[in-house]
Amino acid sequence: MILEFPLLPLIPLLLTRVVPSNAVSKNYRLPSTVVPSHYNLDLLVDPGRSSFLGVVEILFEVKTPTDSIQLHASPKHLNITKKMAQVDSAINCTLTNTDKDTEIVTFTCPNHTLKGQHNLSIEFQALFSTQDMNGFYKSTYEEDGSKNVLVATQFEPTSARRAFPCFDEPSFKATFDVFVTHPNEYDVLANMPELRHISLTNNQTKVQFKTTPKMSTYLVALVVSKFEAEDSEEKDNFDYKVFARASAEKFMNVASIYGPKLINVMGNFTGIAYETLGNTQAYQVGIPDFSSGAMENWGLIMYSEIDLLDEGNKTPAACKQKIVTTIAHELAHHWFGNYITLDWWSDTWLNEGFATYFEYNNPDLVSENFETSKQFVVDELQSVLLTDAIPSALPLSSKESDINTPGEANSKFDEISYSKGYWRWFKINIFYSRGEYSKNDERFDGRQIISEGFTDVPKQKVINTKNTSPSILLQSMQLNASAEYNISSIMENWIYKSGFPLVTVDLIDSGTVALKQERFTTIKNTSMKSTQWYIPISYTTSDEKIFTPKTRRLMAPNSLTKIEINKKSWIIVNLQQIGYYRVNYDEVLWERIIAALKNDTERKTIDVLNRAQLIDDIFNIARVGRIGYERAFELADYLSSETEYYPWSSALGAISYLMGKLGNSKAESLLKNITLKWIENAFKHTKIAKTHIDHLRDSMILNWACKLGQEECINYAIETFDAYKTTGSLPDYNLRKVVFCYGLRNSDDPKRDFDFLFGKFRNSTSSYEQNTILKSLGCTTDDSLLSRYLSETLTSNSYIRKQDADIVFSTVYSSSDLGLKVALHFLEENILSISETYKGISSLSGIIIGLAERLTNDTDIERMKKIINGHQNIEEIKLAGPQAIDIMTANKAWTKTYGNKIKSVLKAMKGSPDDANVPKANAILSVALSCAVLSLFYFK
């Protein structure tokens, strides 16, 4: 049925009467008495106006006889224009209640008890969102000197109710027929291909789209814009296109090439072709204003431009990788998230953990150069272990009753859900890396746990059911496991408890080691429960040197696991850091490992990811006092001979934590000096960058050389930046951030160069170039410019988009001690304006946590606590506050305990304290600079 309504003037909304309520005592969930099965959604949309009109007709089934219907409609954004809705065109049901907190509206049908199947028709008018990027919102961009307006949707997790009355929970899946009337100068995109295109009077067009697959409301999507499209050259059974503003047409190459390949990889992996999911359309759309990074709307994936658009022949390696991994993540959601959907947001990891697995797995299947599955270890796993070591961290699955409000639902889109929810540690370690944990003797192909994991339990039930849950997943895994293993028991604490184990390996006699476990935490908390886990143990010894990550033991809670080794052998546990745990060794075993790392021949036999793991584990274990820092730095000293990306990524991450926390300028100088010595020794004779990983490594190392004060590096940045101001080009765009940051930081005229870069930002048509400039402007050492830069994020009509506010803040507070001081003061003075301006884009919580991670002195910590405690009415602060306070408490205690100890360790390594100056230009550092013309540059 095609709904028709007159072209009415779009007047300001007259909101319905709302009932004041106490949100704390409210249930934000809908009852299950009424369940939708189909929507006809008819919208009249003009991006030039402030609001839009709509009619929604919902086919629903009454599960329990009732005289009322409850559904979602946000009273702040949507006005039900007729207080009398019609059921089956005959029964009049009156709008009797609108709850402003829960956003639940109630229609009562007097003298009628509803049973069976019915149609509900509601007319409404709604505002386009302009204060945030949720619901149906406006975005603007300039092209050829003219301002262009578009409207786009972002409904996950709870914002579909802003655009139309609906049952806005993921379990209420339904099909959708969408109709959009719009001005002729615009085009409209929706989840499905067009079915009909009707020309109307008044310069209007009406488009009807094909019926969607059965899906949740958060996946409904629309874009009304003047975008251009680029078709993929791949010929497949699906329709793949990339859409963006016209001036970005030349930046669609990476997305156009890799997207179809990634779709086919998913189809091959799962055995379910994309088009058989129920939709042949696979459109990728770059939106200028988009705060969510990317969103997996079925058939109409939306991205912030930086996550979709490349930079032509200037595209850096990191930019290309980010585009490919983001597309891989969002496409994977069509199988895991869209087709099979979580039941409630308390289990967000069921969507995001699977997608994160494919984000890092699939790029390696379309290109041999990315090595993204390896990068997951140093980029995601080692990072989430830091987050999960805090007592206030959330578990993978929260109690359903704990995730009630929209803010609480948003809080589950965190690092835990994405990175701890990553499926690799689960599927490989426990079940599919060794036959003894499965019914068959043979190893399982990885696809069995993922592609069959939901559809085997029981197959017919899951295919026909709306949604899934951890219990269904565990049932499927039980079908594929040996009967002796109770999968639910094994996985219970991994899923429902926060934290992770520290496995300690002790040599108990000359030929036996014993493994024991305890919870690892960075903060002592006597009230914290001592959780134990079933742990998949993989290991190798110096006699074996086989680093294939096979599970060789399943360590049970409250037990010792013993392993036989040769008398003088080293043992390394958690191969390729595939397991979600840290490993400590006794002094003798650490000595053996360190000796192997310092032996050129022996070191090369240790897998590169385990070299990274050893560094990450030992520094974090030292951080909590379970091993001395002298041992950690003794191990790290081998870095003078290390040239691989992964160990250096872990090492520099460990050094980052120490910098700024030692509480003593002499100690800080010692730390910089020893780190630069390692870099200089390791990269004396680095070859020309040839691979993707080489480029990532070189830009990382060069950035740190400048950060540590290496004079030749800084001179290179200054000279290259000065040349760029004249020529507008760089010899290597992989190093643009280094050149811009340290060129600006060491400028002889900070305001001139700041204004120059900001002008480049304003005029650039490349979102990636703009992003790099934003991350560089905070490098200035002029406090007035830093304050001005932060103020730009609060200025109306600013060139800095709202979604980029957290980038501005983070680059200011992370670039220097001065920046940290300026950022904290700015937050104090402008907290209410920041909260209001950044509302709906989840930036404030990130700013609070980011600042907290860098505060160590009592005065600054108390200032931050005052901000947190004084603004508990701001939900983002309320939710992020406990974690921020935990972090600051730990940092303060750590500095007091370890600052002077580390100074002593570094002095002993460095020699005379007089040598602890910031490094001078007397060392040799030859860093490979991948460049079309220059092979490399040499530090003297």
Side-chain angles (χ1 to χ4, degrees), residues 718 721 725 742-753:
I718 293 171
F721 183 60
K725 287 186 290 184
Y742 293 98
L744 178 61
R745 177 168 293 179
N746 296 280
S747 170
D748 57 4
D749 190 338
K751 184 177 183 304
R752 177 200 64 202
D753 288 338

Side-chain angles (χ1 to χ4, degrees), residues 403-468:
I403 306 302
N404 197 29
T405 69
E408 289 164 351
N410 273 304
S411 74
K412 291 298 291 184
F413 288 82
D414 63 356
E415 191 176 12
I416 299 295
S417 292
Y418 283 75
S419 299
K420 186 177 181 179
Y422 175 90
W423 210 241
R424 183 167 129 178
W425 61 272
F426 184 103
K427 83 174 182 71
I428 294 180
N429 278 305
I430 296 184
F431 302 101
Y432 298 100
S433 59
R434 194 172 181 213
E436 69 177 276
Y437 296 115
S438 67
K439 288 180 176 179
N440 304 312
D441 238 356
E442 64 205 34
R443 284 188 64 180
F444 277 76
D445 188 307
R447 77 185 66 187
Q448 287 184 261
I449 183 57
I450 296 180
S451 66
E452 296 178 10
F454 285 108
T455 58
D456 272 357
V457 179
K459 181 165 283 190
Q460 283 304 117
K461 175 183 175 183
V462 175
I463 286 177
N464 293 328
T465 206
K466 306 186 290 287
N467 298 80
T468 192

Side-chain angles (χ1 to χ4, degrees), residues 601-629:
T601 302
E602 192 80 354
R603 179 181 63 256
K604 293 175 183 178
T605 68
I606 299 174
D607 189 272
V608 67
L609 290 179
N610 278 106
R611 303 201 305 263
Q613 172 222 7
L614 290 166
I615 294 168
D616 186 62
D617 277 353
I618 199 169
F619 272 95
N620 279 283
I621 293 166
R623 176 174 168 178
V624 298
R626 298 298 299 271
I627 193 170
Y629 268 104

Side-chain angles (χ1 to χ4, degrees), residues 786-787 790 808-810 812-814 817-830 834 847 851 863-864 867:
L786 290 172
S787 296
L790 290 170
V808 174
F809 245 100
S810 65
V812 169
Y813 65 62
S814 64
D817 291 340
L818 173 64
L820 180 63
K821 177 182 176 182
V822 170
L824 180 59
H825 177 72
F826 188 83
L827 183 67
E828 283 179 313
E829 295 296 312
N830 299 279
I834 291 169
I847 291 168
L851 280 167
R863 290 165 68 189
M864 179 59 82
I867 293 171

Side-chain angles (χ1 to χ4, degrees), residues 279-293:
N279 188 358
T280 59
Q281 178 177 294
Y283 290 174
Q284 322 296 306
V285 187
I287 309 291
D289 294 293
F290 197 80
S291 63
S292 298

Side-chain angles (χ1 to χ4, degrees), residues 229-235 239-243 252 256:
E230 179 171 306
D231 292 335
S232 170
E233 294 182 2
E234 300 282 338
K235 300 303 179 184
D239 179 20
Y240 185 92
K241 289 186 176 72
V242 180
F243 292 82
M252 300 179 184
S256 296

Side-chain angles (χ1 to χ4, degrees), residues 42-97:
D42 198 342
L43 301 176
L44 176 60
V45 176
D46 183 348
R49 300 191 180 229
S50 61
S51 63
F52 60 96
L53 293 174
V55 177
V56 63
E57 185 179 274
I58 307 172
L59 178 65
F60 65 91
E61 184 176 353
V62 179
K63 298 293 185 180
T64 303
T66 182
D67 66 350
S68 64
I69 305 166
Q70 288 188 312
L71 67 163
H72 290 107
S74 171
K76 294 179 181 178
H77 304 89
L78 186 149
N79 180 36
I80 296 174
T81 52
K82 288 187 178 180
K83 308 312 177 205
M84 194 77 71
Q86 286 196 328
V87 172
D88 300 333
S89 302
I91 302 172
N92 290 324
C93 299
T94 306
L95 179 62
T96 54
N97 187 62

